[in-house]
Amino acid sequence: MTDKSLSNWVALSDKMLVGQIGAFVRHHRLEQNKTQNTLAHEAGISRSTLSLLERGETVTLATLIRVLRVLDQLQVMDAFVVEQRISPLMLAKIQKEKRQRAREKQDGDTTKHDW
């Protein structure tokens, strides 16, 4: 996402954002030549719930996920992936703590080996 598109999303009201989601669902439903009845049945929801979603009305997140799954559009979930990142300071600390050399056994070492 570019800074420009981010600012466009930020400028939209919540109602307009939900409307965009509904338009996305409707677009992909029509692109796949599915009726609301067909998609609703495949997603396990009522046609009226799907209609609410497409009109930008309130539906549950679970409903949206069911519809995205049936439309084979779950790739939008990539936007929600949280990547673990290590700060440069933490990486330096980890590198410093790594063993740099091997030690030979000392005479008093009582470790038993089954080799």
Side-chain angles (χ1 to χ4, degrees), residues 104-115:
E104 289 192 26
K105 280 197 230 172
Q106 298 180 357
D107 291 338
D109 191 353
T110 58
T111 305
K112 291 175 68 176
H113 298 285
D114 295 331
W115 319 325

Side-chain angles (χ1 to χ4, degrees), residues 6-22:
L6 178 59
S7 65
N8 288 342
W9 289 116
V10 170
L12 294 177
S13 68
D14 291 353
K15 180 75 175 159
M16 292 188 76
L17 289 170
V18 174
Q20 283 294 121
I21 293 169

Side-chain angles (χ1 to χ4, degrees), residues 90-106:
M90 183 59 81
L91 183 58
K93 182 179 178 183
I94 291 170
Q95 292 295 334
K96 184 177 178 184
E97 292 174 357
K98 278 187 179 178
R99 182 180 290 268
Q100 300 296 317
R101 296 190 174 123
R103 290 187 317 177
E104 289 192 26
K105 280 197 230 172
Q106 298 180 357

Side-chain angles (χ1 to χ4, degrees), residues 27-60:
H27 167 81
H28 287 284
R29 175 179 63 80
L30 293 173
E31 191 175 71
Q32 294 178 24
N33 196 30
K34 292 185 181 205
T35 65
Q36 282 187 336
N37 282 330
T38 302
L39 178 56
H41 177 75
E42 290 175 356
I45 62 174
S46 70
R47 191 210 50 79
S48 61
T49 299
L50 178 60
S51 179
L52 288 172
L53 172 61
E54 288 186 358
R55 288 192 323 252
E57 300 294 330
T58 302
V59 296
T60 67

Side-chain angles (χ1 to χ4, degrees), residues 76-86:
V76 300
M77 298 300 296
D78 289 344
F80 298 100
V81 173
V82 178
E83 295 179 13
Q84 292 284 34
R85 294 190 179 136
I86 299 177

